[in-house]
Amino acid sequence: MDDLFAVPRGWLESFGEIVKFCARILADVASLRVFKYFGEVLRQAGILIVSSTLVIWGLVFIIGLQCGIEGAYFDRSVGVPAYAGVFAAWCDLRELVPLCFGYMMAAKVGTGIVAEIGSMRISDEIDALEVMGISGVTFLCATRLLGSMLVLPFVYLCSIGAGFFASYLAVVQQIGDVSSGGYFLIFWQFQNPPDVLYSLIKAMAMAIVIVLVGCYYGYTATGGPVGVGTATAKSMVFNIVSVHVIGMLGTQLFWGANPRAPIGG
Amino acid sequence: MSFEDPEGTPIAGDLAGGSAAAPAEPMLTTRPAPPPGASEEEYANHSYKVYPSGRRNVVEFDNTYKSFGPNQILRGLTMGIPEGMVSMILGPSGTGKSVCIKHMVGLLYPDSGDVRVQGESVPDMPDEQLFEMRKKFGLLFQDGALFSSMNLYDNVAFPLRQHTEKSEQEIEEIVMRRLTEVGLGYSRDKLPNELSGGMRKRAGFARALVLEPDILLFDEPDSGLDPVRTALLGELILEIHREMMEDAKAQKKPYLPTFAVVTHDIMSARRVADYINVLWRGRIVEAGPAQDMLNSDNPFIRQFLAGESQGPLTMD
C-alpha cells in the first residue's frame, strides 16, 4: 500500500517545496527587499525586452492569423461571413493570445531562467553570492520576478494588438468576405474593456507562475549539467500544465457565468 | 571553549586547541567514543592530539555531525582554526574538507553539534545576521566561481558595488590593485570562460580579497594546477597574508586575518601552513603547528605527509 502512495506523495512533497520557495520570492518582492538590487531588476527587465518581446509578438501574430482564417471560413460555411469578427474578439482575446503568450513565456523565458540559474548553481556561483552576504533568492529570483512584472503587462497588451491586427489582416485583407467597417462593428460588439483586463490578469498569472517555477527549478538544480537539463525539462512540463490550468480557471472565472455575448437579445 | 576573557587574554583551550599558556605537550582530554555505527578499530589511528597554537580560535567546530543521506561525512568533528595564521585542513579525498568550509559560512548546517565563528554560533543565526557574518569571510571556490555573465573587472568589483558606498573611481583603484597583485591586471576585460583554470582561481582570490575579510577560506586552491603554478599560488597566499597582517596590526583591527586552506596536497601544506588540522573519517586525527605535525609519530599522519602507499590509509 505504501508503494502505491509513494509516487503521489512525492509529487505532493515537491509541489509543497515549490510553493514554499515561491512564497519566499513573493515575500522578497512584497517586503520591498528586492529594491536593494533595483539595478539588477532593471537589467533583467531590459534582457526580457530585448530577447523575448519580438518572439512573443511573432507567435501571437501567427495565432491571430489562424484565428482570423478559420473564423472567416467557418462563418462563410454557415452563411454568416460578416460575423468573422466574433472569432477575432473571442478566440484572440480570451483564449489563444493568453495561451500563446504562456507557451512562449514557458519556452523562452522559463527555460532560460532555469538554465541560467541552474548553471550558476552547479558552478558554485550562487554559493559565491551567498558567501558575499547577498541572498541568492533575492538577487537572482526576486529581481527576475519584479523585472517581469514591470515589463510584461506592456508586452502582453502589445501582443493583444498584434493578434487583433493579424486577424484583421486575415479576415478583411486576405479573405475579404466582410468589409472593414462590417468587421469592426461585430469585433467591437463582442468585447468590452473589462475583457482586456481579465485577459491581462490571466496572462500575468501565467507569467508569474512561469517565472517562479523557473527560478525554483534553476535554484534547486543538482547533479551537474545533466541535472540542469532535467530541471529545464521538468519546469517546461510544469509550466505548460500550469498555463492550461490557469487558462481554464480564468475562462471559467471571468466568462463562465456571463459570457457577455450580444446574441439573442 | 577557547575564547578571549574580557581583558583579551586567551583562555586555555580544550580539544580544539588554542591555549595562551602554550605548553610544549599536546593537550589531551578523555578519548572520545567512536561515532555511532563505527568501531573503535576504525578510529584507532585518531590520537586526537591537539598541539597548542598559542592563539585563540576564530572558527570552532564542536562535536559536529553531518550526513548526506546514508553518507556520514562529519562524524563528531571538533576542530579549531587559530587566528592570524595560515591553517591547513588536510585529509584524503572525500573526507569532508569542503563540507567543513560550507559549515563555516553557513551554506550547510550541522545535523548536530555546533560551529562558531568569532564566538557566535552559525546555525543559531537568523538570516539577516548570517548575511552580515558572511561579510567577514572571503571564499575562494575550487574553480573560482566567477560570475560567467560579467568580465573579470566587474566580478572583482561586484562585492564593493554591493556592500560599500565607494565611488567608481575608488572601486577601480582597489580592483586594479588586487588584480595586479594576482597578476591579472592585463585581463580585466576578459570573460571567465576566456581564462585558464589557474587564472580563474587567481581572479577568485582577488574577488575574495576586495572586502578585506577577517577570514579567508580556500577550497582546494591547488586542484587542477601544475606543480609550479601550485607553488606560485602558495607563495601568493603567503605574501598576501603577510601584507594583510601588517595592515591589520597597523589599523589595530579586533581580529587578525586568518587563512584556512583545504587541500590534500602535501607539498602545499609543507610550504604554506602555519597550522595543520588532519581530517580523516569526519574527525580530526591530530592538529597543531606545522612543525609539530610534520614531526608527528602518528602512523596515519606519517603516511599521509610522506604520500606513501603503505599504512593505515587504503583505497577503501
Side-chain angles (χ1 to χ4, degrees):
Chain A
M1 247 347 227
D2 272 358
D3 286 351
L4 198 67
F5 291 113
V7 173
R9 199 183 299 127
W11 287 347
L12 266 182
E13 264 176 27
S14 37
F15 186 71
E17 286 296 317
I18 294 174
V19 170
K20 223 164 70 182
F21 184 83
C22 295
R24 270 176 74 193
I25 302 175
L26 288 168
D28 275 349
V29 176
S31 65
L32 309 183
R33 266 197 295 273
V34 66
F35 281 90
K36 262 200 302 195
Y37 310 114
F38 195 63
E40 180 65 12
V41 172
L42 292 179
R43 196 176 79 87
Q44 291 300 334
I47 291 173
L48 203 56
I49 293 170
V50 171
S51 65
S52 302
T53 310
L54 277 181
V55 73
I56 291 174
W57 292 347
L59 183 67
V60 172
F61 184 84
I62 293 166
I63 282 297
L65 286 176
Q66 258 179 276
C67 261
I69 293 166
E70 289 184 24
Y73 284 127
F74 174 76
D75 282 356
R76 182 195 282 176
S77 72
V78 294
V80 284
Y83 272 74
V86 177
F87 276 83
W90 279 27
C91 170
D92 281 0
L93 184 62
R94 297 186 182 188
E95 301 304 329
L96 285 188
V97 173
L99 279 182
C100 285
F101 176 79
Y103 294 154
M104 199 43 93
M105 276 295 296
K108 176 78 173 63
V109 180
T111 52
I113 290 175
V114 183
E116 193 181 346
I117 299 183
S119 312
M120 290 183 77
R121 164 62 72 201
I122 61 164
S123 59
D124 288 335
E125 290 178 40
I126 296 182
D127 283 351
L129 256 186
E130 297 265 339
V131 173
M132 285 177 206
I134 296 167
S135 158
V137 172
T138 315
F139 188 80
L140 297 174
C141 305
T143 52
R144 278 172 171 77
L145 181 64
L146 185 59
S148 308
M149 286 160 86
L150 290 178
V151 165
L152 290 178
F154 300 101
V155 173
Y156 182 69
L157 290 174
C158 293
S159 302
I160 295 176
F164 282 172
F165 178 58
S167 295
Y168 170 81
L169 281 183
V171 176
V172 179
Q173 303 296 332
Q174 184 198 340
I175 297 170
D177 282 352
V178 59
S179 70
S180 181
Y183 171 81
F184 279 124
L185 175 72
I186 298 301
F187 176 74
W188 291 121
Q189 267 183 359
F190 276 77
Q191 61 178 300
N192 301 300
D195 289 342
V196 179
L197 178 69
Y198 297 152
S199 176
L200 179 67
I201 292 172
K202 257 170 97 168
M204 285 309 105
M206 290 172 185
I208 288 171
V209 166
I210 288 164
V211 171
L212 288 174
V213 168
C215 288
Y216 169 79
Y217 278 106
Y219 203 82
T220 54
T222 50
V226 175
V228 177
T230 312
T232 310
K234 278 187 189 169
S235 81
M236 190 67 190
V237 171
F238 193 106
N239 278 335
I240 290 293
V241 173
S242 303
V243 161
H244 282 262
V245 170
I246 293 169
M248 180 194 71
L249 291 177
T251 302
Q252 189 66 33
L253 179 68
F254 297 132
W255 298 289
N258 175 12
R260 277 202 297 285
I263 299 172
Chain B
M1 304 305 291
S2 53
F3 295 127
E4 261 193 347
D5 69 10
E7 275 75 46
T9 315
I11 298 164
D14 62 358
L15 193 68
S19 110
E25 290 303 310
M27 310 219 27
L28 282 170
T29 54
T30 323
R31 186 178 174 78
S39 65
E40 182 59 48
E41 207 174 70
E42 282 179 68
Y43 285 81
N45 288 294
H46 286 64
S47 49
Y48 301 115
K49 283 181 190 171
V50 177
Y51 296 88
S53 64
R55 303 271 177 94
R56 60 181 172 175
N57 290 326
V58 285
V59 180
E60 291 180 304
F61 285 76
D62 187 7
N63 202 23
T64 308
Y65 283 82
K66 179 72 182 176
S67 304
F68 297 97
N71 300 323
Q72 297 179 326
I73 305 298
L74 304 184
R75 306 171 82 179
L77 174 68
T78 298
M79 174 177 83
I81 305 289
E83 183 194 3
M85 287 183 156
V86 179
S87 290
M88 288 259 166
I89 302 172
L90 204 62
S93 306
T95 200
K97 303 188 297 294
S98 298
V99 173
C100 275
I101 280 197
K102 290 192 171 176
H103 276 79
M104 292 182 204
V105 291
L107 288 174
L108 289 175
Y109 291 112
D111 297 335
S112 67
D114 200 4
V115 180
R116 286 182 293 271
V117 172
Q118 295 178 348
E120 293 190 66
S121 169
V122 178
D124 292 343
M125 283 181 192
D127 273 3
E128 291 296 317
Q129 198 188 342
L130 181 68
F131 283 120
E132 276 308 306
M133 183 279 289
R134 282 174 178 165
K135 292 178 192 167
K136 294 173 185 170
F137 280 95
L139 172 50
L140 172 57
F141 287 85
Q142 275 189 30
D143 195 37
L146 300 174
F147 302 124
S148 45
S149 58
M150 300 179 195
N151 67 20
L152 215 51
Y153 178 87
D154 288 334
N155 258 291
V156 180
F158 184 81
L160 291 168
R161 287 180 179 150
Q162 294 300 332
H163 291 312
T164 68
E165 299 293 321
K166 290 186 193 313
S167 67
E168 258 317 296
Q169 200 184 341
E170 287 172 292
I171 289 175
E172 183 170 7
E173 209 173 284
I174 297 170
V175 170
M176 289 316 294
R177 180 161 64 87
R178 290 303 183 191
L179 278 177
T180 312
E181 267 174 354
V182 299
L184 289 172
Y186 58 91
S187 303
R188 57 174 279 171
D189 295 324
K190 285 193 173 156
L191 287 168
N193 62 6
E194 296 170 323
L195 302 174
S196 69
M199 288 163 95
R200 280 202 294 271
K201 276 184 212 289
R202 282 185 279 148
F205 191 9
R207 187 176 67 181
L209 284 171
V210 285
L211 285 179
E212 299 184 358
D214 289 340
I215 306 162
L216 206 54
L217 308 173
F218 300 78
D219 191 1
E220 304 211 1
D222 38 49
S223 70
L225 289 188
D226 63 68
V228 177
R229 263 36 179 279
T230 305
L232 289 169
L233 189 66
E235 271 176 29
L236 187 65
I237 290 172
L238 280 180
E239 194 184 310
I240 301 243
H241 184 253
R242 224 173 2 248
E243 267 174 37
M244 285 176 73
M245 283 291 274
E246 281 164 19
D247 288 350
K249 281 175 186 163
Q251 292 170 27
K252 296 195 172 130
K253 285 190 173 178
Y255 286 92
L256 295 173
T258 304
F259 284 17
V261 185
V262 156
T263 185
H264 47 70
D265 184 67
I266 302 138
M267 289 304 287
S268 299
R270 286 181 185 275
R271 272 194 297 261
V272 178
D274 294 325
Y275 190 89
I276 296 176
N277 280 294
V278 181
L279 185 64
W280 187 34
R281 292 182 171 155
R283 285 187 177 186
I284 290 299
V285 180
E286 271 187 21
Q291 206 50 47
D292 291 319
M293 297 306 290
L294 295 172
N295 295 331
S296 170
D297 52 8
N298 181 300
F300 174 81
I301 293 175
R302 289 178 74 89
Q303 180 199 3
F304 196 75
L305 293 181
E308 285 170 358
S309 58
Q310 299 299 314
L313 180 61
T314 60
M315 283 296 245
D316 299 335

